[in-house]
């Protein structure tokens, strides 16, 4: 059984940094991990994803160069390092896992493919 426990988030001024963590257990071999976010009045979107078997990562265009998705060496914790935060990054952020993934599926990042989700944590960026 996959279990995800998210931590981090909070409030920061524009230009600042935050890091989200997602402790996970119960992985299989071919899995994809992702960070999603949902801003008020907007649809949820995939921010970043990683396919650990190959190390491949994918980012939504708006966060490229500012956010980094990574996993610790033991594969137990997923991170999202968020730098140069902008007002538009304000959202509820979720960690999610797809336990029946493939490189192509992970790259596509369709939230319907992710079976396991955290409750989400708020990130608020102020001016």
């Amino acid at each position: 059984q996959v279990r995800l426990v998210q931590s981090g988030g909070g409030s920061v001024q524009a230009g600042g940094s935050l890091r989200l963590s997602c402790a996970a257990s119960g992985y299989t071999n071919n899995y994809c991990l992702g960070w999603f976010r949902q801003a008020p009045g907007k649809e949820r979107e995939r921010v970043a994803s990683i396919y650990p078997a190959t190390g491949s990562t994918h980012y939504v265009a708006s966060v490229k160069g500012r956010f980094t998705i990574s996993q610790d060496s033991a594969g137990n914790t997923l991170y999202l390092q968020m730098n140069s935060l902008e007002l538009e990054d304000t959202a509820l952020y979720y960690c999610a896992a797809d336990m029946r993934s493939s490189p192509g599926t992970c790259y596509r990042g369709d939230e319907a493919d992710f079976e396991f989700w955290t409750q989400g944590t708020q990130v608020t960026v102020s001016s």
Side-chain angles (χ1 to χ4, degrees):
Q1 180 69 22
V2 174
R3 185 167 180 261
L4 304 174
V5 180
Q6 186 175 343
S7 60
S11 298
V12 66
Q13 286 191 322
S17 298
L18 285 173
R19 188 176 78 163
L20 303 180
S21 301
C22 180
S25 59
Y27 288 155
T28 58
N29 291 326
N30 300 316
Y31 65 96
C32 175
L33 299 173
W35 290 101
F36 290 75
R37 67 184 180 186
Q38 187 167 23
K42 295 187 177 181
E43 293 187 353
R44 188 159 58 185
E45 66 173 349
R46 188 265 309 264
V47 176
S49 57
I50 184 169
Y51 191 73
T54 63
S56 296
T57 58
H58 181 77
Y59 299 89
V60 68
S62 61
V63 307
K64 281 183 179 178
R66 301 188 298 120
F67 290 13
T68 302
I69 187 171
S70 64
Q71 218 181 0
D72 68 350
S73 57
N76 295 327
T77 305
L78 179 71
Y79 300 102
L80 183 68
Q81 179 65 44
M82 303 182 291
N83 298 329
S84 302
L85 282 160
E86 302 172 352
L87 299 180
E88 294 74 21
D89 296 318
T90 295
L92 191 61
Y93 283 73
Y94 301 86
C95 169
D98 174 4
M99 291 293 111
R100 298 172 295 178
S101 191
S102 67
T105 300
C106 192
Y107 180 87
R108 188 173 64 240
D110 186 340
E111 67 173 85
D113 292 321
F114 289 79
E115 311 100 306
F116 302 97
W117 293 80
T118 59
Q119 76 287 352
T121 188
Q122 180 66 36
V123 171
T124 301
V125 184
S126 60
S127 58

